[in-house]
Structure formats: structure tokens, C-alpha cells
Amino acid sequence: MIEKIQSLLQWIFLRVENLFNRAFGDRINPYYHLGAITFFLFWVVAGSGLYLYVFFETGITDAYASVVNISEKQWWLGGILRSVHRYASDAMVLTMGLHMLRYFAFNRYRGFRWFSWITGIVLIVMVYASGINGYMLPWDKLAQYVTVTSFEWLDWLPIFDGALMRNFLYSDHVGGRLFTLLSFMHIGLPLIVLMIMWVHVQRVPKARTTPPRPIVWGLLASLLVLSVAVPVHSQGGISDLSQAVASIELDWFLLPLFPLISQWPMGWVWALLVGLGLLAALQPWLPLKLRRNPAKEVHQVVVHGQGVRAQFRVRPGETILDAGLGAGVGLDYECRNGACGRCICMVEQGTYEHRSYQLSALSDEQKARGMALMCCAIPREDMAIGVELLSTDPGHRVKEHSASVAKMARLSPDVMHVVLRLPVGEPALDFAAGQYINIVLANGERRAYSFANRPGVSNDIELHIRHMPNGRFTTQVFESMKEGDFLRFEGPLGSFTLRDGHGPILFVAGATGFAPIKSIVEDAFARGVQRSMRLYWGVRHPQDLYMLDLCEQWQREHDNFSVVPVVSEPAEGDGWQGRTGLVHEAMLADFPDLSGHEVYLCGSVRMVESAVPAFIDQGLSEGACFSDAFVPAAGAPVVTS
């Protein structure tokens, strides 16, 4: 039954999150920052509450009058902050509930996570206690109802046995001492909430307690607009204990229990709350299973990338990413929720359970190639994985840069030559020929493009960008982007680089897969590499060979280089007299025995998946085949070796 509920909730969350990803991008999708948003809302509640407390007076008549003065005479600040205080408290309850429900839906509360789950339940209880206590302070009709109903409910417990309600039999029984106590509670309870929040995140590696700035400004703007449009006021005048409260408007976020307290027997309400609390608290251990589960054992994960190797333990139910970050390994990540694709890895050994994720982060083609998202993969046995970016420095992250568009020129009808220029005074980017950068879009999405120029020449970055139908970024490049525009990018990234060796080199490029090959070849010429190099460049139509003249120039100037253009879909009248068919098949026809060669292959996933097995069948060593497969709008290129 629980699994069916979780499956339904997962289905709902994934589709709602996908809508938010399309609207805002995964980087500022609020569903991926619910915990951080809750922290931020707490500080909004605390800050606005401190200001209100400066003008609040304790006393049976002073309390009501002081709150009314704040709301009416100081409406331009105190009144707005009172409303912000109320709405931020409601929003905090909402984000906490969604956060807890999401972790339940995706089964992220078992194993070592039981601690965060239990402290989360305690945190929700304390937030409700603090919120209910806050509604007692204005001493209007709503405060009377909340106070009397709360104390009646507590009085049902044998420990009090009616002692609390004796304070409310007559109005003169309520004095300044009670308000001093209530005020002290409204300071003490939030401090306890803050302490529990701190404890709650202690077992979460690299826990984020501050949401991205766009979310911060969006929340503040929303709270201010709501506070001005629908200001909060006291209800029904000053409290009068000689008369029962007849009509009030409840805050259904913080006071949903009170109608039940008013209508049900007190014992039933206590039974409902205690029962639901126990059921929620026991979830990490339900249902009880006596069979041995390999996913409940501690496993070892070996990860390597960019010449760095690390090994760490993964606890039962823990993802590879959480375990690596907890062990101090510098893994690349962003959303931690299976949406951005930055934590993608190549699984080389071992089996794992893969939690739900967005298809935009991991395509079916990538998954079929043995790739996984570290934030969603839970090992079932010892594993070995490869990643693009790895550092033993836990604080290491991919550096983000800003550059201006210095030049744009069409190389063919659907390929644009874009030159990015770093700011004056900033050193040239230290990259290796064959690497790539991630263009960061306004909504946080990323598009990967390889360097088309060799390193060490200038601080310019050359890209070959092919127009993709309905592509968010490529449409911008071809229709609206102009020289002088600024772009943000991350990099350098990737390991598709020329290895040291002595054997002949064969390059196979599909369409704009020529870009990293161009960078590698020009760098090899500059470094004086004398190994034999032959480039097979495959395109659909002759006009797609947008830099064939340059390749033929290389061929004339360098005895160790040659180029073989291949057109797969020649048309009558285009005058093509060269090789036709699939580019990798042309190479196979020329080299029946590939032993002793190195092959560098860059193009679509389909081309790579077709070519690599054929190369190996024809004698190529698996350790001598290097590929860079691009998946449109699905994160980083897939690099294998």
C-alpha cells in the first residue's frame, strides 16, 4: 500500500517539477530548494517578529492596543511586517510539508536518514507550537479562541487536570504575568526551532540553507505584494472572556486542528495526533523485513576522473553523491534531485538501484550506455564509476565565467561560428584541446559546446554551433544573439583529449563533431606531433563540410595529415564526386585491420554506438578508442574511452 502511494506521489512530483523546470530551469526550481527556502522563511519570520516585538506591550489591554497601533498607525511598515510575519509563517509550514512529503514519495527517509526524518517531525511539531503561541499574543477574538481552546485541550491531560482553564474563568484572572509568559514562549520556541533546524541538517553532506538569489527575491516580492494586497488585521475587537467567540477566520495553515478540538471529544483529538505522529515516526522501519537485502549493506565505490582516483564507503540507502560529498570528495553536482544532469557518471562495474529522475537529465540513450546520476544511484554492491570532473578538494567546483560575443559568422546554412572573448585583464582559459564548456542559460539549463580553437593562443573561445529545430539556445543564437551580448559558461570540462603514443591516429567526426577534432589537430601541429593523422569527416550534404578548405590546407602543409570527406545523402546536381555512405563505414573499408591504431570519434550518440563495436570487431583495442558523443539538450557530452 505504501509503495503504491509513493509511486503516485512520485508521478505527481515529477510532472509538477518538470513544469517548473521548463518555466524556471532546474537551477531555480523551488521544489529542489524546499529545505533552503524553509530556512530563509524562518529568518524572515524571525526578523519581522523582532521588529513587531519592539512595539508590543504585554498586558490585558495594552497587548491588543499595541498590535492595533502597529497595524493601523504604522501601516506603512509595522502593518506590512505584521502581514509578512503571518504569510511567511504560513509559507514555512507549506514548504516544510512539501519537503517532508517529497522525501516520503521518493523513499528518502530510511537507513541513515532516519535521524533527519525524526528531527523533521519534531521540527514540524515545534513550528506549530510556536505559530499557535503567536496567535495568542494580539489578544483579539481570534487570540481568545486560540488561547482558550488550546488550554482546554491541554487540560484534558491528567498532569494538568483542569488547572490551566481556571486562569480563564474570569477576565480579571488574566493579567500581565500571563502575557509575559506567552511572550517569553514566543521567543523561546523559535530558538528551539532554530536549534532543531541546525541539528536536522547535520547528517546531510553539503546541506544548503540559503536558496538561490532569484528565489530569495521572488519570495520577498511575493510576500510584500500579498501583505499590501491582503493585509492582516485583528479580528472582532479586544478579547472578552465573559462572552464566547461566535465567528472568526482561521489560519488554515497553522490552525487546522482547532475545529476538531471544538467539535470532537478531546481524547479523540489526542488519539488522532499521537497515532499519526507514531505512524510517521515509524516509517523508516516499516514494513519490517527479515530477508537479507543487498541494498542494506555497506559498499565501496571507486571513482576516477581527470587523473584523480578516490574511494569511499556508501551506507545503506545512501546515494553515491551523498556518500562522496560526505567523504570529502569533490564531485560535481547542482540540484541533487535528478534534474540538472551535472552529476552524471559512467558505471564501469557493479549494480545499483536508480531512483526516479527527469529524462532531461539522463536520456534513455545515455542510460543504455551504462550512465547514471550519482544523486539517484544507490549501490547494491561494490562499484567503480568514471566522472568528468573529480577533485580530492571537497570545495572544488567548476568555475563559472562571463564572456562577450566578439564575432558571429555563418559557416553553413545551419552552423554558426561564434567567438567568445573573456573580459580585459582576465587570463586566457587554461584548457586542453578537445575539451568543452557548458553555456549557462538564463533559466539555469546548460548546453555543451567543444572548443574549436587550440589552447594558448588568445583569450578567445571559438565554438561551432549547429541550429537545432526548436532548440532554446540555438534558436537564440541564429535569431536574436548579436555581437556584444554576454554569456555565462562553465569550464573547461571533459577528457576527450589526445593521448601520448606512437601509433597512427584516425579521427572520425560527424557534422559539428569536427570542432574538438579541429582543436586537437591544430594543437598537435603546434606541438610538433609527427604521428600519422587521418580525418574522416561525415556529413549529410556537401555544404555541411563548412571547413573542408582548411582541412585540405592542412593536408598540403603537413605530410602526416590527410582528410577524407564523406557525404551520406548526396543529391542530384550538387556535384559531389567524393566518398558516400556512413563515415565510420568508409574508415572501416580503408582499414580492414585497426590493430595498433588510435581512434578519436566525435558525433551523435547513434553514430558512436554504431561505430565503436564495429571498430573493436576490426581489431581496434578497447583502450585505444576514445569517443565524445553529444546528446542534444541533455547536459554534458558523453565521453568514453
Side-chain angles (χ1 to χ4, degrees):
M1 182 61 180
I2 291 179
E3 292 179 353
K4 291 182 179 180
I5 295 175
Q6 289 175 323
S7 297
L8 175 61
L9 290 173
Q10 284 184 27
W11 185 88
I12 295 173
F13 270 112
L14 287 173
R15 275 147 187 82
V16 172
E17 289 166 8
N18 185 48
L19 292 176
F20 275 77
N21 283 339
R22 292 181 179 181
F24 306 109
D26 59 81
R27 198 169 192 177
I28 57 173
N29 187 333
Y31 278 91
Y32 303 145
H33 301 278
L34 290 171
I37 290 174
T38 301
F39 264 89
F40 173 72
L41 289 171
F42 172 84
W43 294 117
V44 173
V45 172
S48 57
L50 285 174
Y51 180 86
L52 297 174
Y53 188 74
V54 170
F55 299 94
F56 180 73
E57 299 289 343
T58 58
I60 185 105
T61 56
D62 296 336
Y64 175 79
S66 64
V67 173
V68 171
N69 285 335
I70 293 172
S71 301
E72 297 179 359
K73 293 185 178 181
Q74 201 189 130
W75 66 266
W76 47 273
L77 182 58
I80 291 176
L81 286 180
R82 181 187 179 187
S83 300
V84 167
H85 188 74
R86 149 77 183 276
Y87 293 131
S89 300
D90 290 346
M92 186 175 176
V93 171
L94 178 63
T95 56
M96 289 176 64
L98 285 173
H99 187 57
M100 184 176 187
L101 187 64
R102 192 178 187 281
Y103 268 67
F104 171 78
F106 290 94
N107 206 28
R108 296 181 179 179
Y109 56 91
R110 300 184 186 276
F112 73 98
R113 288 189 177 88
W114 71 266
F115 181 82
S116 296
W117 179 262
I118 295 298
T119 55
I121 293 175
V122 176
L123 182 59
I124 290 176
V125 172
M126 295 307 301
V127 166
Y128 269 99
S130 180
I132 292 170
N133 171 232
Y135 271 107
M136 299 176 180
L137 297 179
W139 206 235
D140 56 357
K141 292 295 186 181
L142 177 59
Q144 176 183 335
Y145 170 74
V146 171
T147 304
V148 172
T149 304
S150 299
F151 279 64
E152 283 181 344
W153 185 52
L154 292 173
D155 251 353
W156 183 86
L157 297 174
I159 189 175
F160 295 114
D161 194 25
L164 296 177
M165 278 307 299
R166 284 196 287 269
N167 292 303
F168 298 94
L169 293 178
Y170 304 100
S171 296
D172 56 0
H173 287 182
V174 181
R177 292 178 61 186
L178 175 64
F179 276 93
T180 300
L181 174 62
L182 295 178
S183 300
F184 176 79
M185 289 175 59
H186 205 52
I187 295 174
L189 288 175
L191 290 176
I192 296 174
V193 167
L194 179 61
M195 181 188 70
I196 298 174
M197 291 171 69
W198 178 81
V199 172
H200 178 70
V201 300
Q202 288 309 295
R203 293 197 180 185
V204 181
K206 302 291 182 180
R208 294 176 179 174
T209 56
T210 303
R213 286 187 179 181
I215 293 181
V216 169
W217 293 118
L219 284 171
L220 289 176
S222 300
L223 290 171
L224 287 174
V225 169
L226 185 60
S227 298
V228 172
V230 190
V232 173
H233 294 290
S234 298
Q235 295 188 38
I238 191 170
S239 170
D240 184 358
L241 294 177
S242 64
Q243 297 181 0
V245 177
S247 176
I248 52 170
E249 294 181 5
L250 287 178
D251 178 347
W252 290 100
F253 288 95
L254 283 166
L255 307 175
L257 190 65
F258 279 73
L260 294 181
I261 298 176
S262 300
Q263 300 295 326
W264 288 12
M266 299 297 181
W268 289 16
V269 180
W270 277 110
L272 175 65
L273 281 186
V274 173
L276 290 176
L278 287 175
L279 181 62
L282 292 174
Q283 283 303 306
W285 300 278
L286 295 177
L288 297 175
K289 294 183 179 180
L290 301 178
R291 291 183 299 172
R292 180 176 175 270
N293 187 344
K296 298 299 182 182
E297 299 176 356
V298 175
H299 301 295
Q300 296 288 331
V301 171
V302 176
V303 56
H304 65 83
Q306 294 188 330
V308 180
R309 182 181 182 276
Q311 182 172 340
F312 49 87
R313 297 168 65 252
V314 183
R315 293 173 291 183
E318 190 172 24
T319 64
I320 294 175
L321 179 62
D322 283 347
L325 295 177
V329 179
L331 299 171
D332 192 25
Y333 69 98
E334 182 63 41
C335 73
R336 303 176 74 159
N337 287 281
C340 68
R342 285 187 63 165
C343 66
I344 198 167
C345 69
M346 174 65 73
V347 178
E348 300 171 351
Q349 176 184 328
T351 60
Y352 57 94
E353 171 192 345
H354 208 289
R355 287 178 173 157
S356 301
Y357 59 92
Q358 297 289 347
L359 288 176
S360 59
L362 180 68
S363 68
D364 291 337
E365 291 176 323
Q366 289 172 306
K367 192 172 183 180
R369 289 171 58 85
M371 310 196 81
L373 299 174
M374 290 185 286
C375 67
C376 297
I378 302 173
R380 291 187 174 275
E381 59 184 351
D382 293 347
M383 294 181 64
I385 62 173
V387 297
E388 283 293 301
L389 183 67
L390 178 64
S391 171
T392 54
D393 178 9
H396 179 75
R397 298 296 301 275
V398 179
K399 188 175 181 181
E400 186 171 294
H401 306 265
S402 177
S404 61
V405 179
K407 181 180 178 182
M408 296 178 64
R410 285 185 185 253
L411 298 173
S412 74
D414 64 348
V415 176
M416 186 76 75
H417 179 223
V418 177
V419 178
L420 303 181
R421 182 160 297 162
L422 296 174
V424 176
E426 186 170 329
L429 205 62
D430 183 17
F431 69 94
Q435 289 190 298
Y436 68 93
I437 62 173
N438 272 334
I439 301 292
V440 182
L441 307 188
N443 64 355
E445 293 183 4
R446 294 164 177 79
R447 299 293 186 268
Y449 294 98
S450 296
F451 292 93
N453 57 308
R454 71 180 181 89
V457 177
S458 69
N459 62 352
D460 287 352
I461 299 170
E462 295 183 26
L463 306 175
H464 296 171
I465 299 178
R466 182 182 180 188
H467 186 220
M468 304 298 295
N470 301 317
R472 183 193 297 259
F473 177 65
T474 61
T475 300
Q476 173 189 342
V477 170
F478 277 77
E479 296 183 0
S480 62
M481 196 168 78
K482 60 186 182 299
E483 294 180 5
D485 288 352
F486 280 87
L487 294 176
R488 292 185 300 129
F489 70 91
E490 299 168 334
L493 297 162
S495 57
F496 183 67
T497 57
L498 186 64
R499 272 62 170 181
D500 293 331
H502 303 284
I505 301 169
L506 297 173
F507 296 109
V508 182
T512 51
F514 170 74
I517 302 299
K518 175 180 178 291
S519 177
I520 292 173
V521 170
E522 289 183 335
D523 182 62
F525 291 154
R527 293 190 291 115
V529 174
Q530 297 301 313
R531 299 164 65 185
S532 171
M533 294 182 285
R534 177 175 291 191
L535 166 61
Y536 288 81
W537 187 2
V539 295
R540 290 185 177 181
H541 310 290
Q543 62 265 32
D544 297 330
L545 295 164
Y546 54 84
M547 282 192 169
L548 183 58
D549 290 344
L550 175 64
C551 296
E552 291 174 342
Q553 178 184 335
W554 293 343
Q555 186 171 253
R556 291 191 300 269
E557 296 176 352
H558 300 274
D559 294 336
N560 64 328
F561 179 83
S562 60
V563 59
V564 180
V566 182
V567 175
S568 63
E569 300 176 10
E572 293 184 10
D574 61 19
W576 180 250
Q577 300 296 321
R579 303 279 289 271
T580 59
L582 298 179
V583 63
H584 75 282
E585 292 179 351
M587 194 197 79
L588 290 170
D590 292 347
F591 293 88
D593 184 5
L594 289 172
S595 59
H597 290 76
E598 280 186 8
V599 173
Y600 294 82
L601 174 66
C602 186
S604 68
V605 170
R606 181 177 298 178
M607 186 186 84
V608 171
E609 289 181 339
S610 300
V612 171
F615 293 165
I616 294 174
D617 289 343
Q618 208 144 305
L620 182 67
S621 170
E622 291 188 17
C625 184
F626 309 95
S627 62
D628 193 351
F630 287 91
V631 182
V638 182
V639 181
T640 61
S641 61

